[in-house]
Amino acid sequence: MGDSSAKVELGGKASEYKILSGSVGPDVIDIRKLYGNTGAFTYDPGFTSTASCESKITFIDGDQGVLLHRGYPIDQLAEQSNFMELSYLLLNGELPSKAELEKFSGTITRHTMVHEQLAQFYRGFRRDAHPMAVMCGVVGALSAFYHDSTDIADPHQRLVASHRLIAKIPTIAAMAYKYSVGQPFVYPKNNLSYTGNFLNMTFSVPAEEYEIDPVVEAAMDKIFILHADHEQNASTSTVRLAGSSGANPFACIAAGIACLWGPAHGGANEAALNMLREIGHIDRIPEYIARAKNKDDPFRLMGFGHRVYKNYDPRAKVLGKAATEVLAKLGKNDPILDVARKLEEIALTDPYFVEKKLYPNVDFYSGVILSAIGFPTTMFTVLFALARTVGWVAQWNEMIADPEQKIGRPRQLYTGHTQRDYVPLTQR
Ligand code: SDX
């Protein structure tokens, strides 16, 4: 933009607002004094033009399809890093040394067990409860068990709560799955990797040994990397808003899980696979493309489109490639992948999708891989929440430490009744 300030003329009065520049990406107009100067609010439903905070964690260039975590491109991290190392990077800002990574990983490992009484919470749910409903309830209950890490003014308690959340979310997620299939809970094993431990807690049974397939472990870890953080998306903004009131971190993450569940957000991975299964065959794709374009039909292509990416979601590129590789390595041939590929091909040449810059997003291919690994579709958003917990925790810590942050309290454009007198029932 180049200008150092933006001028506003309102009601015959002029006022000026500083332009702030980041290290990369759009400038921002600092409008914090706008209401005081003009008596007017800005109006931005859905926050399409609003920066809610300053952050150093994740940068997205939607036009170029770029995603950086602390400056490192997501495709390099997905190919060369692992989820534990990325977790350290998101929380601390730099890649760890070997010793730092071993210490961090060891700390997380020792927090993976949950309070034994937490298991009682699961028994209150019906067995067919959606696992995301269970996650909302159980994670929200954590503050009842870990009161010694809920004082957000104490940096040490913030650190312990952060480690507990990152460490326990796979255990809680695996328990949600086990409960849904009527199998016994499996305890964490400290000799396994973060992702290997999750797979063991999910798929092993006491009756026999469980071999962790390295192909599956690598695919799962890559999926966790690709879902770890994503700037100020709806669920991260929910976590920040909850945290701005001083709510404890466990309650904030439970709020993020609730928001992520929506089909417009993290729930889209479950909806996308269900949609692909409903389409079933490439011959039926034109019918669904037509429905997606029909304004009178609420149907949308799930896993397509994005508020920020007006280019191909870089995570979808990695997942699209991984889907072919993982299914081949597992010897699985899922016709749904052919439907997904054909749907993408048709949509990307259709003027409607081209004009609106609608591309596959992170949720379009992830379900094909998760299904091949053996997860039911109802677990897909749970896995998204598992991975995103480290991003939420990193963003929450950044918000708490930000001296500019205060309780989030948006205003409104009021279009309801102006003041009127109460009418007694006998006169109505
Ligand atoms: C995630 O924010 C994040 O970063 C989220 C996320 C993360 O990592 O945290 O990336 C994860 O949530 C990915 C998105 C998953 N959601 C879906 O796949 C659901 C399907 N997609 C859409 O519902 C939609 O694209 C959104 C919600 C993702 C984005 O919606 P926007 O930015 O509010 O855009 P919009 O609804 O205003 O759509 C713009 C136009 C509209 O047409 P017009 O009214 O302008 O004529 O594009 C159309 C929409 O109807 N459109 C679609 C479409 N998505 C948008 N039409 C058909 N199919 C779609 N999928």
Side-chain angles (χ1 to χ4, degrees):
M1 195 178 276
D3 299 337
S4 60
S5 69
K7 295 177 182 58
V8 171
E9 296 272 343
L10 201 57
K13 264 182 69 187
S15 49
E16 272 194 75
Y17 303 90
K18 273 172 66 180
I19 306 282
L20 307 176
S21 297
S23 39
V24 65
D27 289 342
V28 299
I29 303 169
D30 183 348
I31 55 159
R32 282 176 285 185
K33 292 195 168 32
L34 178 86
Y35 176 57
N37 290 341
T38 67
F41 299 135
T42 59
Y43 183 62
D44 186 15
F47 309 122
T48 51
S49 301
T50 293
S52 62
C53 63
E54 176 184 337
S55 179
K56 297 177 171 33
I57 298 173
T58 291
F59 174 73
I60 302 172
D61 181 330
D63 295 330
Q64 301 303 315
V66 169
L67 168 56
L68 308 177
H69 288 315
R70 302 289 189 176
Y72 297 100
I74 189 64
D75 50 333
Q76 291 182 25
L77 291 166
E79 294 310 320
Q80 302 176 57
S81 185
N82 62 65
F83 186 67
M84 265 299 95
E85 183 177 77
L86 174 60
S87 297
Y88 182 98
L89 175 67
L90 289 172
L91 289 170
N92 298 290
E94 297 297 335
L95 288 168
S97 65
K98 190 167 180 299
E100 286 166 334
L101 181 56
E102 280 171 6
K103 182 169 182 281
F104 175 74
S105 189
T107 301
I108 296 298
T109 295
R110 277 168 193 78
H111 279 290
T112 49
M113 284 181 70
V114 294
H115 191 292
E116 192 62 15
Q117 270 184 245
L118 201 72
Q120 305 308 325
F121 274 84
Y122 290 79
R123 295 187 172 82
F125 292 98
R126 289 170 40 137
R127 289 279 179 179
D128 63 354
H130 194 292
M132 280 298 279
V134 176
M135 293 296 287
C136 291
V138 173
V139 173
L142 288 178
S143 53
F145 291 86
Y146 299 107
H147 251 296
D148 61 341
S149 61
T150 52
D151 176 2
I152 63 163
D154 177 348
H156 176 68
Q157 290 197 30
R158 293 206 299 268
L159 186 66
V160 172
S162 302
H163 290 157
R164 279 173 163 162
L165 280 160
I166 295 164
K168 297 180 193 309
I169 201 79
T171 310
I172 290 166
M175 290 168 76
Y177 171 71
K178 284 305 202 188
Y179 187 72
S180 74
V181 294
Q183 290 179 359
F185 297 143
V186 175
Y187 287 108
K189 280 185 162 178
N190 290 356
N191 63 324
L192 297 176
S193 74
Y194 183 89
T195 302
N197 189 33
F198 169 66
L199 290 169
N200 185 61
M201 291 189 289
T202 304
F203 293 122
S204 76
V205 289
E208 59 189 36
E209 281 311 302
Y210 172 73
E211 280 294 303
I212 297 172
D213 180 335
V215 171
V216 171
E217 186 175 3
M220 198 75 248
D221 201 74
K222 183 176 282 187
I223 285 175
F224 287 163
I225 288 173
L226 293 166
H227 288 78
D229 190 55
H230 210 241
E231 203 216 62
Q232 304 311 317
N233 59 84
S235 53
T236 297
S237 300
T238 300
V239 170
R240 281 179 169 261
L241 196 56
S244 74
S245 76
N248 74 70
F250 303 103
C252 295
I253 299 306
I257 291 172
C259 177
L260 184 75
W261 193 1
H265 191 14
N269 56 12
E270 175 179 359
L273 197 79
N274 290 338
M275 174 192 74
L276 291 170
R277 284 191 176 137
E278 186 187 322
I279 294 173
H281 192 279
I282 56 176
D283 294 349
R284 297 189 62 204
I285 290 175
E287 171 197 338
Y288 283 83
I289 294 275
R291 282 190 58 195
K293 293 156 62 172
N294 178 355
K295 283 289 155 236
D296 300 328
D297 187 334
F299 172 80
R300 287 195 165 183
L301 277 191
M302 302 315 281
F304 255 79
H306 199 278
R307 170 61 59 76
V308 177
Y309 290 122
K310 301 310 170 192
N311 200 321
Y312 211 107
D313 183 334
R315 301 167 297 176
K317 264 194 192 138
V318 177
L319 284 165
K321 195 162 142 272
T324 306
E325 289 163 4
V326 172
L327 267 66
K329 285 179 183 171
L330 294 178
K332 305 232 169 156
N333 174 24
D334 186 344
I336 290 294
L337 182 55
D338 300 332
V339 174
R341 294 262 188 250
K342 192 68 185 164
L343 177 59
E344 175 187 347
E345 181 194 313
I346 295 173
L348 293 188
T349 53
D350 182 291
Y352 173 92
F353 293 89
V354 173
E355 276 149 37
K356 294 180 188 297
K357 299 185 177 174
L358 302 174
Y359 292 84
N361 60 50
V362 67
D363 294 315
F364 189 63
Y365 284 109
S366 55
V368 174
I369 304 171
L370 295 173
S371 179
I373 291 174
F375 291 102
T377 51
T378 51
M379 277 294 290
F380 289 4
T381 310
V382 171
L383 298 170
F384 195 148
L386 189 167
R388 185 55 57 89
T389 292
V390 67
W392 288 331
V393 165
Q395 298 269 354
W396 173 77
N397 275 295
E398 184 178 64
M399 188 258 324
I400 298 282
D402 182 349
E404 307 255 310
Q405 276 299 326
K406 50 176 67 175
I407 187 167
R409 207 279 187 214
R411 300 301 302 275
Q412 63 183 8
L413 172 67
Y414 178 69
T415 55
H417 285 287
T418 53
Q419 184 166 328
R420 53 182 173 164
D421 293 331
Y422 179 79
V423 178
L425 186 57
T426 53
Q427 294 173 32
R428 275 179 255 157

